[in-house]
Amino acid sequence: MLVSLYRYNPEQDNAPYMQDIELDIPAGKDLMVLDVLALLKEKDPTLAYRRSCREGVCGSDGMNMNGKNGLGCITPISEVVKKDKLVIRPLPGLPVIRDLVVDMGIFYEQYERITPYLVNDTPAPEIERLQSPEDREKLDGLYECILCACCSTACPSFWWNPEKFVGPAGLLQAYRFLADSRDTAQEERLSDLDDPFSVFRCRGIMNCVAVCPKGLNPTKAIGHIRDLLLQRAT
Amino acid sequence: MGKIRTISYDAIVVGGGGAGMRAALQLTETGVDTACITKVFPTRSHTVSAQGGITCAIASADPNDDWRWHMYDTVKGSDYIGDQEAIEYMCSVGPQAVFELEHMGLPFSRTEQGRIYQRPFGGQSKDYGKGGQAARTCAAADRTGHALLHTLYQANLKGGTTFLNEWYAIDLVKNSDQQVVGVIAIEIETGEVVYIKSKATVLATGGAGRIYASTTNALINTGDGIGMALRAGYPVQDMEMWQFHPTGIYGAGTLVTEGCRGEGGYLINSEGERFMERYAPNAKDLAGRDVVARSMVIEVLEGRGCGPEKDHVLLKLDHLGEETLNLRLPGIVELSRTFAHVDPIKDPVPVVPTCHYMMGGIPTTVGGQALTQDKEGNDQVIDGLFACGEAACVSVHGANRLGGNSLLDLVVFGRAAGLHIEERLRGGYESGDASEDDINRALARLERLESSTGTESVAAVRKDLQSCMQLYFGVFRDGDSMGEGLKKLDAIGERARNVQIGDNSKAFNTARIEALELDNLFEVAYATAYSAMERRESRGAHARNDYTERDDENWLKHSVYFPLEKRLGKRDVNFAPKTVDTLQPMIRTY
Amino acid sequence: MVKTVTNLGRSGVYDWMIQRVTAYILALYTLFLFGFMLTTDLSYESWSALFGQTWFRIFSLMALVSIGAHAWVGLWTVTTDYIKATAPRFLVQATAGTAMFVYVVWGVQILWGH
């Protein structure tokens, strides 16, 4: 199999380049893309990429494989390799630090901007705050986000305005707290989002939905936020 | 290496997992200037992989539930070398710690009454083992660790903790008064090496499952805190005690939660027999993890394994129905499809006991204060050093941890460490400065690595280390083969000191980090092997073919491995809980 | 909250609402005109009779204002997406704004100008 790998070491290279490597894949095993990278790193320790849990829950190894964002650790090569070729690039739209490692600063800033924690001004009870299973169900499809940035870096609106548009990942989390029956800051949360960029730069392209490795639907969550903003304004 | 930059904090927490972030949160909230140093962005820590839940007597599933019953289970599960004072503290403070998490926003699953959903887990009982199976594990579907870790990160953002994300702590800095006064750390992105000065250093670096070839642990679980403590000359406790989780996915090693069996799943052998009925007639598939793991290995050894190699067993879940699986175990359905190529809604999942958890670690008090022993064998405080979570050995897990107790350990003792440190700092604890020599001593390892003329590759040495541990120090152990394993480890250690990283660049040099991690893996592996060799009995997770019985006369003790003398000492187990009667050792059956 | 001063509604919701409402008006107007053209024998007389009626003049003006507003919100979005330097962006926005204004005034003159 031919692996075409995005390489960039700021101390040595003036510009990034694609490195083509012929790799023998052990027969009878459907490796994950992350396993392929590990094999490559055994041969060339200078290859840099992030990884941690290797089971799709930590969100470290978001990358672009044959043109599509995903997690290297749960993407089998059988699913992604075409014509015996695998092109691996860093997540698009973020500055590259080295090889497949991108600077996720702006992505995290957008997450921090949406007040990503529960706010409840009422005194906490002795036990837990009660929540019905129905109310809890509203958080399904929202709280599972692993902050891998596959969605936001697949979003053209985020590419153009990463400082102003919160992006699908941040908005999914924004709605996770708006939808939580225990949260009392809905009004403030909505005020913080009521501008032409933060939410409304979403154009419904739905790349986020197409790439989310956890099968979540940020576009739907953004639609819910827009409905809440409309309800509040009319 | 010239003079390096110094950054100062009142307290630093090394590790951004559950324990580290709970400690950091406690410190920040009480106004202590705290930094959390973490080699990965906090939500990438291994706590994120915890699935089934957090065990705690919050009396939701059973209004009459009692933390004393939880304590009884935990002591029994530990095979009686868990410290009863610490277990008492964990089980009694637990509910408060769990409610705090809920108040922070953790999205627990719910009962019809709106309370936190609890599921049955292994080793749980009501009424001191007399009232049948309990359901005591609080869950957020099968993503409890993920929900907990994200909630703690969010709380720390709210509280304003300083995070040094993607910084890697290399070694402890000790001053001439033998106080720990911070760490040497490297900022991975830039490669800058910095002395981070602090009055209190908390090691919350998690486990080291990567010393084994087959593990449920993340690639980052390399025992960095244990390695640092050992290199600084401090002892570690009960390192022979490694939990093998019964249900790691065959071939991949990824975890399938015990919650599967809690929800009604069970294990079958090649004959389709529910074999746990033979080994644990009462608790069956929900016996202690050590018991289940051993039973599975015996089934395989006796020829009743499944698959073409007859080397694993199957976890049957399909009878639970699609609805329950999607509601209670959605992550498991996903993982099984990805890693076992099996749809659990239709077919059983191939599983095998897989290295999962390090019961041992840095011995500490309930408040996270790290301990060593003086010449007479009395506990002695290590000034400035603290530990919590999997890296610490309080010890609440003893020789075998119960499912769901690790997350509780994290939040209870992360919190306790924070409380204790804050109290010490308020009480005026001061430490002296580190001299240039002190700092240089802590830099020595990095310098050796940078100027290495060695020929060994990190990946090759690591692979051999993992195979050696897997082969000689697995579920069943034997004196002769462990002796052989130790000899091999000596040779591997020699090679580990002779590695060439093959990359001297500064920016995001992961080759350098992996080489530094390899040293830690070796330190942990060696301490494990040595302790396993010396503990001449079978207890909990430590099962020996040459000493098959538990030996309370000689070994109702913690083992304490001293790295400088390469010696295994003993330490008394605490049998003095403060508010309840001591639980006396009994024969442990399920 | 992201602050902007050049967008029409000063708020995301208003801009969004303006675009949706004007889109409906434009759709209605277009449909009506198509219907008219299909059902009526098109001639100078029928065409000027249609434009002689006050309700249709109002309807046409509404459509014209809608085009202005709709285009403004759209072009503002496009310019903030693609033109990153402030001076050229402002220039393009000002040109577009002036054009919309001119078209609307000119349209009023055409509709009521004789």
Side-chain angles (χ1 to χ4, degrees), chain B residues 562-586:
Chain B
F562 292 87
L564 300 180
E565 307 102 294
K566 265 196 195 171
R567 167 175 77 83
L568 197 80
K570 291 180 182 176
R571 184 168 166 249
D572 287 341
V573 174
N574 178 294
F575 282 99
K578 287 190 169 133
T579 63
V580 294
D581 293 338
T582 300
L583 293 158
Q584 298 299 340
M586 293 188 290

Coordinates of all heavy atoms in Angstrom, one line a residue, chain B residues 562-586:
Chain B
F562 N 11.8 -1.0 47.6 CA 12.7 0.1 47.7 C 13.7 0.1 46.5 O 14.4 -0.9 46.4 CB 13.5 0.0 49.0 CG 12.6 0.3 50.2 CD1 11.9 -0.8 50.8 CD2 12.4 1.6 50.7 CE1 11.1 -0.5 51.9 CE2 11.6 1.8 51.8 CZ 10.9 0.7 52.4
P563 N 13.6 1.1 45.7 CA 14.4 1.0 44.4 C 15.9 1.1 44.6 O 16.7 0.5 43.9 CB 13.9 2.2 43.6 CG 13.4 3.2 44.7 CD 12.9 2.4 45.8
L564 N 16.4 1.9 45.6 CA 17.8 2.1 45.7 C 18.5 0.8 46.2 O 19.5 0.4 45.7 CB 18.1 3.2 46.7 CG 17.5 4.6 46.2 CD1 17.9 5.7 47.2 CD2 18.0 5.0 44.8
E565 N 17.9 0.1 47.2 CA 18.5 -1.1 47.7 C 18.0 -2.3 46.9 O 18.4 -3.4 47.2 CB 18.1 -1.3 49.2 CG 18.5 -0.2 50.1 CD 17.2 0.6 50.5 OE1 16.7 1.3 49.5 OE2 16.8 0.7 51.6
K566 N 17.0 -2.1 46.0 CA 16.4 -3.3 45.4 C 15.9 -4.3 46.4 O 16.4 -5.4 46.5 CB 17.3 -3.9 44.4 CG 17.1 -3.5 43.0 CD 17.8 -4.4 42.0 CE 17.9 -3.7 40.7 NZ 18.7 -4.5 39.7
R567 N 15.0 -3.9 47.3 CA 14.6 -4.7 48.4 C 13.1 -4.6 48.5 O 12.5 -3.6 48.3 CB 15.3 -4.1 49.6 CG 14.8 -4.6 51.0 CD 15.7 -4.0 52.1 NE 15.3 -2.6 52.4 CZ 14.3 -2.3 53.2 NH1 13.6 -3.2 53.8 NH2 14.1 -1.0 53.4
L568 N 12.5 -5.8 48.9 CA 11.1 -5.7 49.2 C 10.8 -5.8 50.7 O 11.2 -6.8 51.4 CB 10.4 -6.9 48.5 CG 8.9 -6.6 48.4 CD1 8.5 -5.7 47.3 CD2 8.1 -7.9 48.3
G569 N 10.3 -4.7 51.2 CA 9.9 -4.7 52.6 C 8.5 -4.9 52.8 O 7.7 -5.1 51.8
K570 N 8.0 -4.8 54.0 CA 6.6 -5.0 54.3 C 6.1 -3.8 55.1 O 6.8 -3.1 55.7 CB 6.4 -6.3 55.1 CG 6.6 -7.6 54.4 CD 6.4 -8.8 55.3 CE 6.7 -10.0 54.5 NZ 6.6 -11.2 55.4
R571 N 4.8 -3.6 55.0 CA 4.2 -2.5 55.7 C 2.8 -3.0 56.2 O 2.1 -3.8 55.6 CB 3.9 -1.3 54.8 CG 3.4 -0.1 55.4 CD 3.5 1.1 54.5 NE 2.7 2.2 55.1 CZ 1.6 2.6 54.6 NH1 1.1 2.2 53.4 NH2 0.8 3.5 55.2
D572 N 2.5 -2.6 57.5 CA 1.3 -3.1 58.1 C 0.1 -2.6 57.3 O 0.0 -1.4 56.9 CB 1.2 -2.6 59.5 CG 2.2 -3.4 60.4 OD1 2.6 -4.5 60.0 OD2 2.5 -2.9 61.5
V573 N -0.9 -3.5 57.2 CA -2.2 -3.0 56.7 C -3.0 -2.4 57.8 O -2.9 -2.8 59.0 CB -3.0 -4.3 56.2 CG1 -4.4 -3.9 55.7 CG2 -2.2 -4.9 55.0
N574 N -3.7 -1.3 57.5 CA -4.5 -0.7 58.5 C -5.8 -1.4 58.8 O -6.6 -1.6 57.9 CB -4.8 0.8 58.1 CG -5.7 1.5 59.1 OD1 -6.9 1.1 59.3 ND2 -5.1 2.5 59.7
F575 N -6.0 -1.8 60.0 CA -7.2 -2.6 60.4 C -8.0 -1.7 61.4 O -8.7 -2.3 62.3 CB -6.9 -3.9 61.0 CG -6.5 -4.9 60.0 CD1 -5.2 -5.2 59.7 CD2 -7.5 -5.6 59.3 CE1 -4.9 -6.2 58.7 CE2 -7.2 -6.6 58.3 CZ -5.9 -6.8 58.0
A576 N -7.8 -0.4 61.4 CA -8.5 0.4 62.4 C -9.3 1.5 61.8 O -9.0 2.7 61.8 CB -7.4 1.1 63.3
P577 N -10.5 1.1 61.3 CA -11.5 2.1 60.9 C -11.9 3.0 62.1 O -11.9 2.5 63.2 CB -12.6 1.3 60.2 CG -12.5 0.0 60.8 CD -11.1 -0.2 61.1
K578 N -12.4 4.2 61.8 CA -12.6 5.1 62.9 C -14.0 4.9 63.5 O -14.2 5.2 64.7 CB -12.5 6.6 62.4 CG -11.0 6.9 62.2 CD -10.8 8.4 62.0 CE -9.3 8.7 62.1 NZ -8.9 9.6 61.0
T579 N -15.0 4.6 62.7 CA -16.4 4.6 63.2 C -17.0 3.3 63.2 O -18.2 3.1 63.7 CB -17.2 5.6 62.4 OG1 -17.3 5.1 61.0 CG2 -16.7 7.0 62.4
V580 N -16.4 2.3 62.6 CA -17.1 1.0 62.5 C -16.1 -0.1 63.0 O -14.9 0.2 63.2 CB -17.5 0.6 61.1 CG1 -18.6 1.5 60.6 CG2 -16.3 0.6 60.1
D581 N -16.6 -1.3 63.2 CA -15.7 -2.4 63.7 C -14.8 -2.9 62.6 O -15.2 -2.8 61.4 CB -16.6 -3.6 64.2 CG -17.4 -3.2 65.4 OD1 -16.9 -2.2 66.1 OD2 -18.4 -3.8 65.7
T582 N -13.6 -3.4 63.0 CA -12.7 -3.9 62.1 C -13.3 -5.1 61.4 O -14.0 -5.9 62.0 CB -11.4 -4.4 62.8 OG1 -10.9 -3.2 63.4 CG2 -10.4 -5.0 61.9
L583 N -13.1 -5.2 60.1 CA -13.5 -6.4 59.4 C -12.4 -7.4 59.4 O -11.3 -7.2 58.8 CB -13.9 -6.0 57.9 CG -15.2 -5.1 57.8 CD1 -15.2 -4.4 56.5 CD2 -16.4 -6.0 58.0
Q584 N -12.6 -8.6 60.0 CA -11.6 -9.6 60.1 C -11.5 -10.4 58.8 O -12.5 -10.7 58.2 CB -11.9 -10.5 61.3 CG -11.9 -9.8 62.7 CD -10.6 -9.1 63.0 OE1 -9.6 -9.5 62.5 NE2 -10.7 -8.1 64.0
P585 N -10.2 -10.8 58.5 CA -10.0 -11.6 57.3 C -10.8 -12.9 57.4 O -10.8 -13.5 58.4 CB -8.5 -11.8 57.3 CG -7.9 -10.7 58.1 CD -9.0 -10.4 59.1
M586 N -11.4 -13.2 56.3 CA -12.2 -14.5 56.2 C -11.8 -15.1 54.9 O -11.2 -14.5 54.0 CB -13.7 -14.2 56.2 CG -14.2 -13.7 57.5 SD -16.0 -13.6 57.6 CE -16.3 -12.3 56.5

